[in-house]
Amino acid sequence: MLRKESSNVATLDEHGQPVALSFADRLGGQQWFFAFKLLREWIDNILDIYKPELRRLLWPLFVYCYLQCAADAYSRDARDFFSTYSKFFEEEHSDDLRALSGIDLPEHVQENEVATIYRENRYRLTLSKMAFATLIEFLETKESEGGKQITFLITNHLLLRTVDRAALGGARSLQRLMEEKQGEEQAPAEDEGIPGHHPGSANLDPNATSALNRLALGPLPMEPDLMEDVKAELTTEDLLHPPPPGRSSLSEQFEQRIKTEPLDDTAPPRDAIPFPASTARDVAMEVQKVRENRDRFRIEGKTGGVGPGVSVTMFTFHNTFDSVNCIEFSGDNTLVAVGTAESYIRVWSLEDRALTSPQDPPGFQPSASRRLIGHSGPVYALSFSPSAALPEPRTNGHIHTTTSPDSQPRYMLSSSADTTIRLWSLDTWSNIVVYRSHNAPVWDVRFCPHGHYFVSASADRTARLWSTPQIAPLRLFVGHDSDVETVAWHPNGAYVFTGAGVGDRTVRMWDLVKGTQVRIFTGHAGNVTAIACAPNGHIVASADDKGTIILWHLRSGRLIKRMRGHGAGGIWSLDWSVESTVLVSGGADQSVRIWDVQPQKETYAKTNGDVTKIDGATVGGGNTSVSKPSGGGGGKLKGREQATPDMISDFKTKKSPVYKVKFTQMNLVMASGAYLP
Amino acid sequence: MSVWNPENVIDVAESVGIASLNKDVVEHLARDVEYRMSQVLNEALKFMRHAKRTTLTTQDVSQALRLLDVEPLYGYESTRPLRFGEASIGPGQPLFYVEDEEVDFEKLINAPLPRVPREMSFTAHWLAVEGVQPSIPQNPLTDPRSAELAAKGSGANSTLAAISGNDNVSVKPLVKHVLSKELQLYFERICSAVLDEGNDEYRSAAFVSLRTDTGLHQLVPYFVQFAADKVTHNLKSIFVLSQTMQLLDALLDNKSLYLAPYVPGIIPSVLTCLIGKHLGSPAQDGATTHFALRDYAASLLSKIARQYASSSSTLKPRIARSCLKSFLDSHKPYGTHYGAILGLTMIAGAEGVRALILPNLKAYDMHLLEGMNDDSKKEQAEYVVQALMRALEMLEEDVVAMEGLTQTNGHPEGEALSERLVDAVGGVLAPRILASGRQSFISAALEKDLDV
């Protein structure tokens, strides 16, 4: 009450006598309100060339004003401030707003997760020199009307970096600005935000050069013994079944695959990641992979505006009562597994074959489905151990009978809200190992593409690397500021990717051997819900629950493009075609969409330029260009629902959110979801 | 000023034995409670998201509480949304509680076990084949609006729309199709003209228009609907019924209309006029006027059958079946039988008479005799007899046409013949057939015997 009165008195004073009290004393908690209002109005009226970059200032300042206000125990003013200005950030920052919304006591500021992330880190933002100078000038002239407050926040909580407008190049050109103005595109730049890193780089030291760690993105070399065995096997296979005319023989195919390693790809050393010695099963799987690779349906990228015709089989689950949390197909496409909210896992044979076990009591009639019971909380992720598809009957009259049970997956992993990960044997349909180490629900688990290792992601903000024979994790990947929501492997097994939720929203790439971060990708506006790395090892795709898919170039650590079209609600799954030219996504908006990966021409050229620079590995501070998102290349984006032009197809399902999409080795898409009438 | 009511804090404090709380403390605590609740909800949303659901369940909340190291609330686990009841414990003090259904223990024990929920299962189908979404029941209908959107999204690239399958899928409009004002006006005028009892010219002008005008195709479903409506609601008025029949006749005559898809909609109205139990009101129109209507309906039916039998192979059998059913039902009035016989004759021809009517004549004779002896029904029965005679005559023509001059000299004469005839067609028809004196007619009626 007193405060209110005093503020009334103060405003009266403004009309008549000179103001005796300072701005801060006069207004108390409202000083932040007026300071922010001042800045906002100024930015709204500023020249168009500065507007987009200065507008990015508003969100961090909004958060810091609000938190400062609440921390100073002006809870009513904090609430007023929040309710007045939060609506302007609703679209881009809805999750953060929700997390911050309850705060109005100093204790809450101390305790709230998102608030601590903001208070303990500096929000990094890049401005051009001119914009920065104008801002400072303005704040100085208005020092007594709130400029001081803003300057205080900027010096204490923000990390403003200035760069020459010229250095920004095309990204800040007038034309680009005009395009953006039309599209009203609001997306964080690549180096904006909490982690405070150079684009792509994982080096968090603000003074670090933007040189990036070198990556070994080549495929993992084969064990020499295994390679010999596979070669011998392929030669006999060629003799038995000579290739149909027009097709190369299997051994030729294999040789070609080994030799066509691009020169700039260093392969990770074989001995850095130990694997158990290969077995006959590995040989059979390699042979099968080569065969499938030759016989696959080839998908070329979009050429001349015509995209590839992709076929999609949809597996719809009925009578689920919304209890299905995740769906997973096995690598050989014979099994499908479902993790449920009722803590059990159910496995079906896709071929309607009875799932037998040596432990079945005599007289037991095995059916085509099995229940795996063991978890004590909802099951959130499943992962089959690697396996290759069974040979399919050929068209030339042969009927293959080499359906060796060998190629079927032997193990499955599951992760659950009960903080455990369990390993199940698919021979006996029983639980073999329980991995305990996480102390919060485990959101995701994924087998290494070569088996043996797996990585898990948890709500305790860590991702952990395990090997199947050991019950303690081998590596802890620590660095995310919020829940690690999803994980993915690099195809060579030397790196893993993790994506985080509210407050952090970064995608990070970790070196498996060293356990360190090698890349950080920022740019998502929502929780990261799915990640998939291209089979060629150079591009990673990540999706968020705002309906955006972003492609990242690994070597340069830069954003390639944003792809929009999915509705809000989460893109649950992503996968790449064998050629790495086409991406498929499926999500809560009940659709399966096919995307063209080829970047637009100009962006592609630029990325290439970056590649050569990084390879020099001696790039100085010059490489600081902020590439603005180029996905909206058409520049005609009006709403989120509008798809970017690189969407090739959009297949709607009938009231079935899509939980899983997968490209088989033969380039057929398998999709799955639950029918929810 | 928290959303959470500070009174609640006082209530809880009192329940743990703290009698008086400072007002500031209460405010502070209320705010804190509110913050904690939003914290719990934020965590619960995480669980909801990972379960890929769009509804928050009580399970999510208890998981969130567990994650925040708080003892979860027990007893609220439910797979369906909870219902909250409201009770007032004082002015402006509503108390909310979970509504528990009261269950009679006895009843619960004796009740049959609830049905086991259906097992989870999966089905597979093609969502897309080579980039095109097949239009099968498992796939949703393409919404024209989304197609529009996709086309815009792909910008100038029209091929994109083509390969995404938007062009191949037949689009069913979800909205009712819009009639132009002129057509609506025309429809109204025609409808009122057709039912205008006073103005003959007006009426015939309407029919002529219907018979000849082109461009009425959009109105056909409306006319069919109109006819069905009028027939259902005006069974008492011979005038309306016959006008409706004429309207349908006019439509059928119009060369520019393609009516095949509407035939299933027209047939019921016509059949009603043919074999309806009570058509018109005897007091107003006289007891026998409805026979004229039935005649008209029968001819209309035969016309439809002729024109559209080729487009629907089951059309004739279906009509014949319904006619036969009414014919064999002796509880139906003579009017219905009359219509049924007419219908059968028209639809199925001589072949039908031979196969469907002739074998049943003997049985029908009893019913007919009953009618002939009853004065009130005699007139009606007479109509039926005539219809039957006509049917038999048709048979005669058929036999003559088919077999030429079959020698029938094997037939016995006189008494024996009449006995046999009575045996074949019944006591009412036999004398009449004999009276006609035509040898071929008699033998046609006796054909059954010949075949044996």
Side-chain angles (χ1 to χ4, degrees):
Chain A
M1 266 307 160
L2 266 177
R3 207 184 299 137
K4 209 172 182 183
E5 271 170 35
S6 72
S7 73
N8 279 342
V9 172
T11 38
L12 274 179
D13 278 358
E14 251 181 352
H15 296 294
Q17 300 124 23
V19 188
L21 295 158
S22 79
F23 180 76
D25 294 335
R26 204 155 33 84
L27 293 174
Q30 281 184 309
Q31 58 178 304
W32 303 107
F33 186 93
F34 284 108
F36 187 77
K37 187 172 166 223
L38 175 82
L39 186 74
R40 214 181 90 81
E41 278 166 5
W42 177 68
I43 288 177
D44 271 352
N45 295 322
I46 205 171
L47 282 178
D48 274 353
I49 41 167
Y50 300 134
K51 205 183 266 180
E53 40 186 327
L54 287 175
R55 205 190 274 148
R56 305 299 310 169
L57 263 176
L58 287 174
W59 165 250
L61 284 174
F62 165 79
V63 174
Y64 288 120
C65 279
Y66 173 53
L67 293 181
Q68 195 69 44
C69 199
D72 291 350
Y74 295 114
S75 40
R76 186 173 312 174
D77 295 325
R79 197 167 278 241
D80 285 346
F81 177 73
F82 189 84
S83 57
T84 314
Y85 286 113
S86 63
K87 56 178 179 287
F88 299 108
F89 306 101
E90 199 58 65
E91 192 177 332
E92 190 182 329
H93 298 281
S94 54
D95 295 320
D96 280 339
L97 284 176
R98 197 187 299 124
L100 291 171
S101 62
I103 300 177
D104 47 14
L105 295 176
E107 299 92 273
H108 299 162
V109 179
Q110 306 272 315
E111 226 179 274
N112 187 284
E113 282 179 20
V114 176
T116 21
I117 293 172
Y118 274 90
R119 300 263 298 179
E120 286 174 5
N121 295 285
R122 282 158 167 265
Y123 194 95
R124 179 184 163 122
L125 199 63
T126 307
L127 292 177
S128 68
K129 276 198 175 127
M130 273 312 288
F132 184 68
T134 337
L135 173 73
I136 294 301
E137 195 188 80
F138 168 76
L139 292 177
E140 274 172 3
T141 50
K142 298 279 177 183
E143 200 188 343
S144 57
E145 292 163 49
K148 199 172 157 199
Q149 275 70 20
I150 299 291
T151 323
F152 167 79
L153 290 180
I154 289 178
T155 44
N156 279 297
H157 295 300
L158 260 70
L159 186 65
L160 287 187
R161 281 171 18 92
T162 53
V163 279
D164 259 336
R165 194 171 191 81
L168 291 173
R172 286 280 157 87
S173 70
L174 258 181
Q175 174 155 15
R176 171 133 253 150
L177 289 178
M178 298 317 284
E179 275 176 16
E180 268 165 29
K181 204 186 157 214
Q182 272 188 343
E184 287 295 327
E185 191 163 354
Q186 293 264 332
E190 272 175 83
D191 58 350
E192 184 187 322
I194 290 300
H197 60 107
H198 294 281
S201 164
N203 194 335
L204 298 185
D205 183 352
N207 301 317
T209 61
S210 55
L212 299 174
N213 301 46
R214 283 186 75 87
L215 299 177
L217 298 178
L220 191 70
M222 261 185 177
E223 228 178 306
D225 289 354
L226 177 64
M227 196 185 298
E228 288 310 314
D229 287 347
V230 170
K231 266 184 197 162
E233 188 71 23
L234 287 173
T235 322
T236 42
E237 185 77 11
D238 278 337
L239 287 175
L240 278 174
H241 311 290
R247 292 251 176 96
S248 53
S249 72
L250 291 173
S251 37
E252 279 165 24
Q253 187 84 21
F254 186 59
E255 294 288 337
Q256 206 186 350
R257 222 176 73 172
I258 299 170
K259 279 185 186 145
T260 50
E261 270 174 42
L263 290 172
D264 59 335
D265 269 345
T266 34
R270 175 88 211 175
D271 49 357
I273 309 163
F275 277 101
S278 59
T279 59
R281 182 170 184 269
D282 296 316
V283 177
M285 268 167 58
E286 283 303 323
V287 171
Q288 184 55 32
K289 270 186 207 159
V290 175
R291 184 188 293 128
E292 283 183 343
N293 194 45
R294 183 191 63 179
D295 296 344
R296 73 179 192 269
F297 169 78
R298 277 174 177 70
I299 292 182
E300 312 301 339
K302 192 164 82 175
T303 43
V306 182
V310 179
S311 302
V312 185
T313 8
M314 174 83 189
F315 294 88
T316 314
F317 284 82
H318 303 271
N319 310 320
T320 59
F321 306 104
D322 214 350
S323 68
V324 170
N325 286 355
C326 56
I327 302 174
E328 191 72 30
F329 294 108
S330 71
D332 62 348
N333 308 321
T334 53
L335 297 174
V336 61
V338 159
T340 65
E342 276 104 46
S343 312
Y344 69 90
I345 301 158
R346 195 149 174 203
V347 186
W348 280 270
S349 161
L350 283 176
E351 294 163 339
D352 208 20
R353 204 178 293 160
L355 302 177
T356 52
S357 152
Q359 291 178 342
D360 284 339
F364 179 78
Q365 289 270 314
S367 70
S369 104
R370 286 260 180 184
R371 270 197 182 82
L372 305 180
I373 299 168
H375 279 295
S376 58
V379 180
Y380 290 117
L382 297 168
S383 181
F384 282 100
S385 71
S387 59
L390 298 166
E392 293 186 13
R394 290 279 189 71
T395 42
N396 58 2
H398 285 303
I399 291 156
H400 271 254
T401 45
T402 51
T403 46
S404 55
D406 252 345
S407 67
Q408 278 182 336
R410 314 267 292 275
Y411 305 105
M412 183 172 67
L413 285 165
S414 62
S415 74
S416 154
D418 63 6
T419 74
T420 64
I421 301 156
R422 282 168 193 263
L423 181 73
W424 306 85
S425 160
L426 301 186
D427 295 326
T428 59
W429 305 104
S430 56
N431 186 204
I432 342 180
V433 192
V434 185
Y435 302 96
R436 293 174 208 272
S437 169
H438 282 293
N439 50 16
V442 188
W443 295 135
D444 202 1
V445 67
R446 211 112 305 267
F447 249 116
C448 172
H450 311 287
H452 192 64
Y453 295 101
F454 64 92
V455 65
S456 60
S458 161
D460 63 8
R461 303 182 186 187
T462 63
R464 297 176 196 220
L465 174 79
W466 313 70
S467 75
T468 40
Q470 279 155 292
I471 53 163
L474 304 174
R475 296 279 186 281
L476 263 71
F477 302 117
V478 184
H480 277 294
D481 289 322
S482 61
D483 293 25
V484 186
E485 307 245 336
T486 175
V487 289
W489 282 83
H490 190 274
N492 70 10
Y495 301 97
V496 292
F497 302 91
T498 55
V502 195
D504 187 41
R505 303 190 297 214
T506 55
V507 175
R508 299 183 192 219
M509 182 183 187
W510 307 80
D511 187 311
L512 199 70
V513 180
K514 295 190 202 126
T516 54
Q517 300 178 43
V518 285
R519 294 286 186 272
I520 298 184
F521 306 106
T522 46
H524 278 293
N527 306 300
V528 180
T529 52
I531 305 178
C533 187
N536 68 10
H538 288 284
I539 304 175
V540 70
S542 57
D544 62 31
D545 60 2
K546 291 268 171 76
T548 310
I549 302 172
I550 306 186
L551 297 181
W552 309 93
H553 195 268
L554 289 184
R555 196 167 290 285
S556 63
R558 304 303 293 274
L559 187 146
I560 299 175
K561 62 175 173 179
R562 284 168 202 272
M563 304 193 289
R564 292 219 175 91
H566 268 291
I571 296 170
W572 301 130
S573 183
L574 292 171
D575 203 15
W576 292 79
S577 71
V578 178
E579 294 87 352
S580 308
T581 50
V582 169
L583 184 75
V584 62
S585 65
D589 66 344
Q590 314 181 343
S591 67
V592 174
R593 293 174 196 239
I594 316 284
W595 305 88
D596 182 23
V597 174
Q598 294 298 321
Q600 272 93 11
K601 285 224 170 68
E602 73 271 41
T603 333
Y604 193 55
K606 203 171 81 202
T607 327
N608 267 350
D610 281 345
V611 171
T612 50
K613 266 196 241 164
I614 302 300
D615 275 351
T618 48
V619 189
N623 181 31
T624 46
S625 64
V626 180
S627 127
K628 283 302 266 183
S630 53
K636 273 203 235 154
L637 288 176
K638 280 273 152 25
R640 290 218 162 251
E641 288 288 301
Q642 198 107 61
T644 46
D646 31 27
M647 188 175 84
I648 297 172
S649 330
D650 168 13
F651 304 122
K652 295 258 188 298
T653 67
K654 213 171 190 177
K655 290 176 184 160
S656 321
V658 181
Y659 292 175
K660 176 78 187 172
V661 289
K662 176 183 180 245
F663 260 109
T664 67
Q665 293 291 317
M666 310 282 273
N667 272 338
L668 169 76
V669 178
M670 294 168 79
S672 190
Y675 178 63
L676 302 174
Chain B
M1 289 312 98
S2 53
V3 182
W4 189 256
N5 191 353
E7 310 255 316
N8 277 320
V9 178
I10 299 175
D11 287 347
V12 174
E14 278 169 0
S15 75
V16 294
I18 303 169
S20 66
L21 266 181
N22 190 326
K23 191 164 172 278
D24 280 350
V25 174
V26 170
E27 280 264 314
H28 196 95
L29 281 175
R31 279 204 203 107
D32 198 54
V33 168
E34 200 182 327
Y35 170 72
R36 300 294 155 195
M37 303 235 302
S38 83
Q39 201 183 358
V40 170
L41 282 179
N42 269 321
E43 293 296 325
L45 281 175
K46 233 185 257 178
F47 284 92
M48 177 190 92
R49 200 173 64 235
H50 280 278
K52 302 186 174 70
R53 264 184 279 111
T54 46
T55 44
L56 193 71
T57 65
T58 49
Q59 288 280 359
D60 293 331
V61 176
S62 33
Q63 290 281 3
L65 288 172
R66 221 167 267 151
L67 184 64
L68 293 168
D69 221 3
V70 180
E71 175 103 15
L73 297 165
Y74 298 106
Y76 291 90
E77 309 214 331
S78 163
T79 45
R80 61 190 164 78
L82 290 174
R83 276 201 316 177
F84 285 91
E86 189 184 336
S88 180
I89 51 167
Q93 275 186 305
L95 177 78
F96 293 97
Y97 60 94
V98 181
E99 256 183 26
D100 267 332
E101 220 180 308
E102 237 174 70
V103 182
D104 190 358
F105 205 55
E106 195 73 20
K107 228 186 243 171
L108 188 73
I109 291 173
N110 294 328
L113 286 175
R115 284 208 296 170
V116 181
R118 303 187 59 189
E119 247 221 323
M120 207 195 291
S121 63
F122 69 92
T123 54
H125 72 270
W126 287 104
L127 188 65
V129 177
E130 310 236 321
V132 178
Q133 196 161 16
S135 42
I136 48 174
Q138 288 94 329
N139 287 332
L141 290 172
T142 329
D143 188 350
R145 275 172 301 171
S146 78
E148 208 172 88
L149 224 127
K152 262 189 214 154
S154 51
N157 208 338
S158 58
T159 38
L160 272 189
I163 48 167
S164 63
N166 288 333
D167 60 342
N168 300 23
V169 184
S170 63
V171 177
K172 275 194 188 172
L174 294 172
V175 286
K176 285 182 177 169
H177 74 263
V178 185
L179 279 181
S180 70
K181 232 185 179 130
E182 291 79 2
L183 276 178
Q184 285 182 33
L185 203 63
Y186 175 82
F187 178 71
E188 274 166 33
R189 285 283 169 78
I190 290 283
C191 290
S192 59
V194 161
L195 298 180
D196 189 346
E197 261 182 272
N199 197 337
D200 266 351
E201 249 171 72
Y202 196 25
R203 226 162 46 214
S204 55
F207 287 130
V208 168
S209 163
L210 278 180
R211 234 177 273 274
T212 51
D213 276 358
T214 53
L216 299 181
H217 205 268
Q218 278 200 305
L219 285 175
V220 171
Y222 296 89
F223 276 124
V224 170
Q225 183 61 35
F226 173 76
D229 258 19
K230 288 294 158 209
V231 168
T232 347
H233 297 298
N234 294 292
L235 284 175
K236 288 269 177 282
S237 161
I238 290 283
F239 173 74
V240 173
L241 290 178
S242 56
Q243 289 306 307
T244 314
M245 286 302 110
Q246 282 190 41
L247 178 126
L248 289 176
D249 184 38
L251 282 177
L252 285 165
D253 277 347
N254 194 326
K255 290 277 182 297
S256 65
L257 296 181
Y258 176 66
L259 286 179
Y262 304 101
V263 166
I266 296 174
I267 295 284
S269 319
V270 182
L271 271 181
T272 308
C273 290
L274 180 67
I275 55 177
K277 262 187 179 173
H278 304 287
L279 298 175
S281 53
Q284 206 175 356
D285 304 315
T288 53
T289 5
H290 63 95
F291 287 107
L293 174 66
R294 289 180 203 273
D295 282 340
Y296 192 81
S299 66
L300 195 57
L301 199 62
S302 77
K303 184 171 173 177
I304 295 172
R306 260 202 320 281
Q307 275 182 14
Y308 297 104
S310 56
S311 63
S312 164
S313 57
T314 56
L315 183 66
K316 275 187 174 183
R318 268 185 298 152
I319 298 175
R321 197 172 314 130
S322 15
C323 287
L324 186 64
K325 227 167 109 192
S326 328
F327 174 53
L328 294 182
D329 189 345
S330 59
H331 298 293
K332 293 247 165 82
Y334 286 112
T336 299
H337 291 150
Y338 176 80
I341 294 163
L342 272 189
L344 278 174
T345 326
M346 297 283 195
I347 294 291
E351 203 56 51
V353 175
R354 193 176 296 131
L356 300 173
I357 298 185
L358 211 51
N360 297 315
L361 274 181
K362 178 80 175 129
Y364 190 68
D365 181 58
M366 290 230 305
H367 185 58
L368 208 54
L369 210 61
E370 224 171 80
M372 294 303 267
N373 295 337
D374 186 342
D375 269 351
S376 61
K377 291 184 188 163
K378 188 162 189 230
E379 198 180 6
Q380 312 249 347
E382 192 63 39
Y383 270 97
V384 178
V385 170
Q386 270 168 28
L388 281 172
M389 290 296 282
R390 238 176 295 161
L392 291 174
E393 269 166 35
M394 195 172 186
L395 207 58
E396 176 202 12
E397 282 159 30
D398 183 58
V399 170
V400 172
M402 245 170 43
E403 299 175 16
L405 290 162
T406 317
Q407 288 307 307
T408 51
N409 46 9
H411 277 299
E413 296 285 325
E415 275 304 295
L417 179 66
S418 104
E419 236 170 68
R420 280 196 58 191
L421 213 49
V422 168
D423 208 33
V425 299
V428 181
L429 286 173
R432 290 171 195 247
I433 294 173
L434 272 180
S436 78
R438 294 204 303 273
Q439 188 61 42
S440 56
F441 190 27
I442 298 169
S443 62
L446 282 172
E447 198 173 337
K448 192 171 60 174
D449 282 7
L450 288 179
D451 287 347
V452 171

